[in-house]
Amino acid sequence: MTEIVLPRIVEPDGLEVRTRATPAPGPGQVVVRVEATGVSFAEQQMRLGRYYGQPPFPFVPGYDAVGTVARLGPGADPALAGRRFAAVTKVGSWASHVLVDADALVAVPDGVDPAEAGTVVVNGVTARQLLRLAKVRAGQTIVVLGANGGVGSTLVQLARHDGIRVIGTAAARHHPLLDKLGAIPVDHRDPHRYDRIAALAPGGVDAVFDHLAGDGLKQSWHLVRKGGTLVSYGTAALKDDSASTQAVFLSLFSQLWMWHLSPNGKGARFYNFWAGERRTAAFRARLRDDLTAVFALLAEGVLTAQVAATFPLSRAGEALALAESRTVAGKVILVPDLATGTP
């Protein structure tokens, strides 16, 4: 098998391509031949050693995978063989093959392209759970920061499908995409962007989804009306902060908790994809339900996959550099190296 290794804190071109024997699946496991795997913000943080809970270097990154079951371990259902599934792995999926627990697989509908499916594995689950956490409903107004991104563009589509009005921030070059997806675009480089959002929703908004944190978080909080919710789900603005990762999150959690407890009728929450992970069966069941629902919308054409670009696995460094450039709309996807015979 071929895998991409993050050896230490390096620039994107410091990723290493290695080969080794494909591991044998253990009891209840399967080997998935990877057909698509995404480049997420998580890998950008891992490259810098700033993703909370990442394994020690060296390791193989890769948050999710879409592929075909190529080998079964003892006790795995024979009916899984040769079928296409998705799985969330956190690490390990930037490879031609990946070991996965059979009960962590989620079926990909027939006819859905693997790369398109790969854009909504983590992003779709995250977007659906964010909307549920904020308890927004039809007729309400939300703000999605970074609405051109992988999570952001999916969040816009799911919200619009539910009849929710969306104001989205993005660079001006991405405004045609936001228009197409049904969001009201606001230039994220405009120094008066928060004033412009406030003018579009004079009474405040029902939710703000903020993946940035940093200095703008307070302005996001001020946009929320009484009864609304600020949902923080990332620290992109603090990616290069010199403070420890633990200190960054401690400061963020403290601020959100203080706001949440303030007597103004507004809520402030932090979303963690891995919340409840220790209750493995319940966590996987919830993830399966959410991803199955998102896949159904993708198969029906309600949700449009936003594939920013595809790169062969061996060019993962270029793919990561493009994702880190923050110039793309949607998600960058890694696919097999067909020219070199990588499965």
Side-chain angles (χ1 to χ4, degrees):
M1 62 177 284
T2 302
E3 60 187 10
I4 305 301
V5 176
L6 187 53
R8 55 194 171 277
I9 296 176
V10 293
E11 293 301 312
D13 61 6
L15 294 173
E16 298 178 359
V17 181
R18 299 182 185 176
T19 58
R20 65 181 179 96
T22 304
Q29 291 185 319
V30 299
V31 172
V32 172
R33 186 174 62 249
V34 179
E35 297 171 289
T37 178
V39 181
S40 305
F41 183 67
E43 286 92 17
Q44 299 175 37
Q45 292 179 301
M46 289 178 187
R47 179 181 72 77
L48 299 172
R50 297 190 60 80
Y51 185 83
Y52 189 78
Q54 72 182 70
F57 296 112
F59 66 93
V60 177
Y63 220 80
D64 52 41
V66 172
T68 303
V69 173
R71 190 174 175 186
L72 304 171
D77 185 352
L80 299 175
R83 295 174 56 197
R84 180 172 290 144
F85 292 92
V88 177
T89 56
K90 191 181 290 187
V91 295
S93 288
W94 284 10
S96 62
H97 298 76
V98 63
L99 272 179
V100 179
D101 289 343
D103 60 4
L105 298 173
V106 180
V108 177
D110 292 339
V112 173
D113 179 78
E116 293 189 352
T119 67
V120 299
V121 177
V122 170
N123 293 347
V125 171
T126 298
R128 196 165 193 262
Q129 293 182 355
L130 285 171
L131 289 171
R132 188 162 64 237
L133 179 61
K135 299 179 180 179
V136 287
R137 57 187 185 275
Q140 294 188 323
T141 299
I142 66 173
V143 173
V144 177
L145 303 185
N148 62 295
V151 173
S153 60
T154 308
L155 183 54
V156 169
Q157 293 182 76
L158 293 181
R160 294 298 298 134
H161 179 63
D162 289 342
I164 297 165
R165 179 175 179 246
V166 181
I167 301 168
T169 68
R173 65 179 172 276
H174 298 307
H175 287 190
L177 170 64
L178 268 59
D179 284 327
K180 183 178 180 181
L181 298 181
I184 302 168
V186 172
D187 190 344
H188 74 170
R189 290 193 174 93
D190 185 341
H192 304 292
R193 59 192 178 279
Y194 290 98
D195 294 332
R196 298 191 187 284
I197 294 171
L200 291 167
V205 300
D206 298 282
V208 176
F209 298 96
D210 187 317
H211 69 300
L212 297 170
D215 295 338
L217 192 66
K218 184 178 292 186
Q219 292 172 292
S220 290
W221 172 246
H222 289 318
L223 292 172
V224 178
R225 68 166 182 84
K226 184 176 181 179
T229 306
L230 166 64
V231 181
S232 171
Y233 68 100
T235 57
L238 304 173
K239 176 184 173 185
D240 300 317
D241 196 289
S242 59
S244 70
T245 305
Q246 186 175 7
V248 167
F249 278 99
L250 181 60
S251 175
L252 174 60
F253 295 157
S254 298
Q255 181 65 81
L256 292 171
W257 187 242
M258 183 178 68
W259 283 338
H260 189 72
L261 294 179
S262 60
N264 56 17
K266 304 190 325 186
R269 308 290 297 273
F270 182 80
Y271 169 78
N272 174 15
F273 185 96
W274 296 98
E277 180 189 11
R278 292 183 180 180
R279 298 177 59 194
T280 305
F283 175 82
R284 287 179 174 173
R286 184 173 66 250
L287 188 152
R288 184 178 301 107
D289 288 346
D290 284 327
L291 185 52
T292 298
V294 171
F295 275 157
L297 294 175
L298 185 63
E300 294 166 10
V302 172
L303 186 63
T304 302
Q306 302 300 314
V307 181
T310 59
F311 286 81
L313 180 65
S314 62
R315 293 170 57 194
E318 295 174 59
L320 183 57
L322 178 62
E324 290 193 14
S325 73
R326 302 184 184 181
T327 61
V328 299
K331 188 165 188 172
V332 177
I333 299 292
L334 298 173
V335 296
D337 283 85
L338 297 179
T340 61
T342 300

